[in-house]
RNA sequence: UCCGACGUAGCUCAAUGGUAGAGCGGGUGGCUGUUAACCACUAGGUUGCAGGUUCGAGCCCUGCCGUCGGAGCCA
């Protein structure tokens, strides 16, 4: 019995007879030769079955795509095969002959793909993204593990809090209404006073009725919490973690990023220290004439780009009419499809821009930064940027008031570059009992409802803080995607819970 | 919640208010170096649903359903 070899490792077995187990990703028939595209989860390779291998040839000849199979053959180098080597098949065992596989090599619409997400996962693009997802999660966890953090699993069911019940999913808990968690933070704070440095990683749920490319109703968040830490410590931690993630992806996923069409150059610039500015400085910046000039310049450039794309579209349509070969038409049609989408996006963007410019120019101190404001700011830097010290009125009750300026809190948001926006939100926590109770009352909350949380300020309170990083938004940025839904195996969005 | 676009064969899309079509996928046959293979033949439709206008509706109007996107809000 020949060795079972992963496709990824085939290159190390030249001249040997090996067995590959996997699925049929594609097939091309000649009269007396069949080319099989095999995938096994580690890679893709080409199998060649010649007619003189009578039994194998008969099995391969009309095998439907996505059938599962075991093939044995000789590995040989061949420049014509993707990956540089191929398997000369000697025997082929069909484990299961598939029925018509719904996802074909031709382009599909997003609705169809989402409806078949359980099968779409087998395609190259989803597997590339999911592999990168694994690396990002692993890099985060390794980062914390290497620094003496303890993983704490916080509860998913949380008692009915007064805050923002509208954006939470209610669950019937033996007759009582409870909610799916929105953050592990309050529980994590307790654990941090027990173990010093802790983190949690789990799903969180938001019932916001948002149908945009940045929203999921179920997403994953990694949240560290550190005792004896102040805002600067929290910022340094976030900076280190983001750098570690990006570094790990660059080191392991050159091919995956290329498959996704992600330019790695902007990722290589992700080096500490990240620029920092205070909320007040950000507000100044948004209102400044310099920003206005810059935005007008960008707008003019984008309008020119838009015109260029429209022209390109016209040229493509002409080429399409002249194209004879099916594959030429396919290629042109695919390019045209992408181009039309890009044009639509940019058109909308260009249309919204004057409004966003006015919003920025009229930005009032005290408001939270809007999505468009974040985009404007993040585009002014070539790496992630921290915005700190937001007005207390715009932020959560648990954030610590700044000693020098009681109007603001010791918090930070990290904005990803290239217009991707917020991926991290964090703060130093209010560690004084009276200040915390006062902040709750200001927000219309009842301190008695948070009695156990307030205990943390009654028994050995210390300065502490932490943050939460949204895994899917971070991945959207790192992978250079347009939509967050591709970064999670089975996305839950407004209006979709299948499959 | 509001605004917009879309809904035609399994899929991706065509079709001045006038006989519903192509490519892919499926089936059959052919081809020993294919790379989203190619060539020939073939099956496949209550045009999302319900009304309305019209001699005539896939196309126009109204309502509903569904999908996608945007705004607000958010990680």
């Amino acid at each position: 019995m020949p060795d079972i070899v992963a496709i990824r490792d085939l290159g190390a077995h030249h001249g040997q007879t090996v067995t590959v187990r996997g699925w049929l990703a594609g097939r091309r028939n000649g009269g007396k030769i069949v080319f099989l595209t095999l995938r096994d989860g580690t890679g893709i390779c080409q199998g060649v079955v010649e007619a003189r291998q009578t039994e194998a040839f008969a099995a391969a000849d009309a095998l439907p795509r996505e059938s599962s199979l075991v093939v044995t053959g000789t590995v040989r180098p061949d420049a014509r095969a993707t990956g540089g080597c191929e398997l000369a098949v000697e025997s082929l065992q069909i484990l299961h002959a598939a029925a018509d596989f719904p996802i074909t090599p031709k382009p599909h619409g997003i609705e169809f793909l989402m409806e078949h997400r359980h099968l779409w996962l087998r395609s190259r693009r989803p597997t590339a993204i999911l592999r990168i997802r694994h690396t990002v999660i692993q890099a985060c966890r390794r980062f914390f593990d290497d620094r003496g953090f303890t993983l704490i699993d916080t509860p998913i069911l949380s008692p009915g809090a007064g805050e923002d019940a509208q954006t939470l999913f209610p669950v019937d808990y033996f007759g009582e209404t409870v909610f799916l968690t929105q953050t592990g933070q309050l529980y994590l704070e307790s654990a941090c006073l027990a173990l010093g440095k802790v983190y949690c990683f789990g799903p969180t749920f938001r019932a916001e009725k948002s149908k945009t490319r940045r929203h999921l109703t179920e997403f994953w968040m990694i949240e560290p919490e550190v005792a004896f830490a102040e805002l600067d410590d929290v910022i340094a931690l976030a900076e280190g973690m983001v750098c570690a993630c990006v570094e790990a992806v660059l080191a392991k996923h050159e091919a995956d990023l290329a498959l996704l069409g992600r330019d790695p150059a902007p990722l290589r610039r992700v080096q500490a220290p990240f620029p920092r500015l205070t909320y007040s400085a950000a507000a100044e910046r948004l209102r400044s004439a310099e920003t206005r000039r810059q935005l007008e310049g960008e707008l003019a450039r984008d309008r020119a780009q838009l015109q260029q794309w429209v022209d390109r579209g016209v040229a493509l349509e002409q080429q399409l009419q002249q194209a004879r070969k099916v594959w030429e038409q396919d290629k042109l049609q695919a390019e045209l499809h992408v181009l039309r989408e890009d044009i639509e996006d940019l058109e909308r963007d260009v249309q919204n821009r004057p409004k966003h410019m006015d919003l920025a120019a009229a930005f009032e101190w005290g408001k939270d930064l809007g999505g468009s404001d974040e985009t404007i700011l993040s585009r002014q830097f070539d790496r992630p940027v921290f915005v700190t010290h937001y007005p207390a009125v715009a932020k959560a009750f648990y954030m610590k008031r700044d000693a020098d300026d009681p109007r603001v809190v010791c918090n930070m948001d990290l904005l990803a570059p290239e217009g991707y926006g917020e991926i991290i939100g964090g703060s130093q926590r209010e560690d004084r009992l009276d200040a915390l109770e006062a902040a709750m009352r200001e927000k219309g909350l009842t301190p008695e409802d948070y009695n156990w949380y307030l205990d943390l300020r009654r028994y050995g309170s210390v300065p502490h803080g932490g943050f939460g990083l949204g895994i899917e938004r971070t991945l959207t940025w790192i992978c250079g995607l347009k939509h967050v839904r591709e970064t999670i195996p089975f996305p839950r969005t407004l209006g979709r819970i299948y499959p």
Side-chain angles (χ1 to χ4, degrees):
Chain A
M1 184 71 181
D3 287 344
I4 291 165
V5 173
I7 289 174
R8 176 206 288 138
D9 303 326
L10 275 187
H13 292 79
H14 280 311
Q16 298 173 23
T17 301
V18 301
T19 294
V20 167
R21 299 184 297 193
W23 294 263
L24 184 65
R27 175 171 52 79
R28 294 171 297 279
N29 287 33
K32 294 200 170 70
I33 189 167
V34 177
F35 297 97
L36 305 175
T37 303
L38 305 169
R39 58 166 196 89
D40 72 345
T42 72
I44 287 185
C45 77
Q46 171 167 292
V48 185
V49 195
E50 297 184 29
R52 59 195 169 81
Q53 303 287 352
T54 345
E55 277 181 44
F57 186 79
D61 192 36
L63 193 61
R65 281 176 311 107
E66 286 306 318
S67 296
S68 46
L69 69 174
V70 180
V71 294
T72 299
T74 309
V75 182
R76 65 186 182 204
D78 192 312
R80 291 167 294 187
T82 352
C85 69
E86 63 183 14
L87 195 64
V89 176
E90 283 139 32
S91 78
L92 189 160
Q93 183 197 353
I94 299 169
L95 295 182
H96 178 244
D100 294 345
F101 193 70
I103 297 173
T104 70
K106 300 287 174 173
H108 297 281
I110 190 65
E111 183 181 349
F112 182 80
L113 291 173
M114 289 312 304
E115 200 68 17
H116 296 84
R117 180 66 174 172
H118 52 299
L119 302 177
W120 185 25
L121 289 184
R122 302 182 189 193
S123 303
R124 302 188 69 170
R125 187 182 162 87
T127 52
I129 295 170
L130 293 179
R131 277 191 296 268
I132 295 175
R133 178 184 172 103
H134 170 78
T135 294
V136 165
I137 291 170
Q138 189 185 45
C140 286
R141 296 197 48 165
R142 196 163 278 169
F143 180 84
F144 292 127
D145 294 347
D146 288 350
R147 283 160 182 76
F149 282 69
T150 302
L151 176 72
I152 296 296
D153 299 308
T154 54
I156 286 171
L157 294 172
S158 55
E163 193 192 11
D164 289 336
Q166 279 177 343
T167 64
L168 301 177
F169 285 106
V171 175
D172 178 73
Y173 193 77
F174 307 112
E176 184 186 347
T177 299
V178 300
F179 298 93
L180 295 180
T181 182
Q182 207 170 196
T183 166
Q185 187 202 313
L186 303 192
Y187 296 98
L188 212 51
E189 285 187 48
S190 330
C192 128
L193 299 192
L195 291 151
K197 293 194 278 188
V198 295
Y199 71 102
C200 70
F201 178 55
T204 73
F205 306 87
R206 303 281 162 92
E208 289 152 15
K209 300 209 166 173
S210 301
K211 279 183 74 130
T212 80
R213 60 187 67 189
R214 297 181 305 282
H215 283 88
L216 297 167
T217 53
E218 179 183 308
F219 62 95
W220 288 67
M221 195 154 68
I222 192 155
E223 299 175 87
E225 193 72 34
V226 184
F228 306 104
E230 299 187 352
L231 183 61
D232 280 346
D233 303 307
V234 175
I235 289 177
L237 193 68
E239 198 171 64
M241 190 188 72
V242 169
C243 289
C245 284
V246 171
E247 198 180 321
V249 172
L250 284 172
K252 289 166 89 170
H253 295 282
E254 197 184 339
D256 287 326
L257 291 174
L259 182 87
L260 296 170
R262 194 352 166 179
D263 177 8
L267 295 178
R268 292 205 190 93
R269 284 194 294 266
V270 179
Q271 303 280 342
F274 300 161
R276 301 178 189 188
L277 66 168
T278 63
Y279 168 92
S280 296
E284 281 299 320
R285 211 175 239 274
L286 285 170
R287 285 193 297 257
S288 72
E290 174 57 29
T291 293
R292 181 97 201 174
R293 262 198 302 281
Q294 198 178 331
L295 290 174
E296 273 163 2
E298 271 175 32
L299 187 56
R301 268 199 301 282
D302 285 345
R303 281 188 171 132
Q305 170 79 80
L306 189 59
Q307 190 53 50
Q308 225 171 51
W309 282 353
V310 170
D311 294 344
R312 171 85 184 132
V314 173
L316 278 176
E317 272 172 33
Q318 280 172 357
Q319 281 180 44
L320 189 59
Q321 279 180 353
Q322 287 161 8
R324 295 269 165 78
K325 301 271 186 193
V326 171
W327 67 267
E328 274 178 327
Q329 293 171 1
D330 285 352
K331 216 170 219 170
L332 290 168
Q333 213 133 42
E335 199 186 334
L336 200 56
H337 205 83
V338 171
L339 189 67
R340 278 183 185 148
E341 238 169 59
D342 288 347
I343 287 173
E344 211 175 298
D345 284 351
L346 192 58
E347 255 173 4
R348 195 172 21 247
D349 198 12
V350 163
Q351 211 175 349
N352 286 338
R353 209 75 67 75
K355 195 171 75 191
H356 292 163
M357 286 163 67
D358 292 344
L359 271 176
F363 188 84
E364 282 173 45
W365 198 99
K367 290 193 311 181
D368 204 353
L369 292 175
S372 63
D373 302 319
E374 287 181 357
T375 305
I376 290 168
L377 288 171
S378 74
R379 280 200 180 136
Q380 296 185 342
F381 301 90
D382 67 350
R383 60 188 78 189
V385 53
F386 286 107
V387 182
T388 66
H389 299 93
Y390 282 58
V393 286
K395 288 290 168 183
F397 69 88
Y398 50 72
M399 295 185 177
K400 187 175 179 67
R401 289 294 173 116
D402 185 59
D404 301 327
D405 182 355
R407 297 178 309 160
V408 303
V409 289
C410 297
N411 81 310
M412 60 86 164
D413 280 357
L414 182 64
L415 310 182
E418 299 167 80
Y420 279 94
E422 185 177 353
I423 55 171
I424 285 180
S427 73
Q428 187 176 338
R429 320 304 186 189
E430 183 52 78
D431 52 311
R432 299 161 301 175
L433 181 62
D434 51 352
L436 189 56
E437 285 177 331
M440 283 177 167
R441 288 198 193 89
E442 270 175 40
K443 304 272 175 194
L445 302 173
T446 317
E448 287 69 39
D449 291 346
Y450 294 84
N451 205 31
W452 69 264
Y453 182 65
L454 293 173
D455 270 352
L456 306 179
R457 274 66 175 173
R458 292 186 183 110
Y459 305 104
S461 188
V462 295
H464 66 287
F467 63 85
L469 170 132
I471 291 290
E472 287 79 11
R473 282 200 177 168
T474 302
L475 276 161
T476 309
W477 160 54
I478 291 177
C479 295
L481 307 179
K482 280 188 178 174
H483 203 300
V484 69
R485 70 184 154 212
E486 285 191 77
T487 62
I488 186 164
F490 294 96
R492 298 293 180 239
T493 56
L494 183 62
R496 179 170 292 284
I497 191 91
Y498 177 92

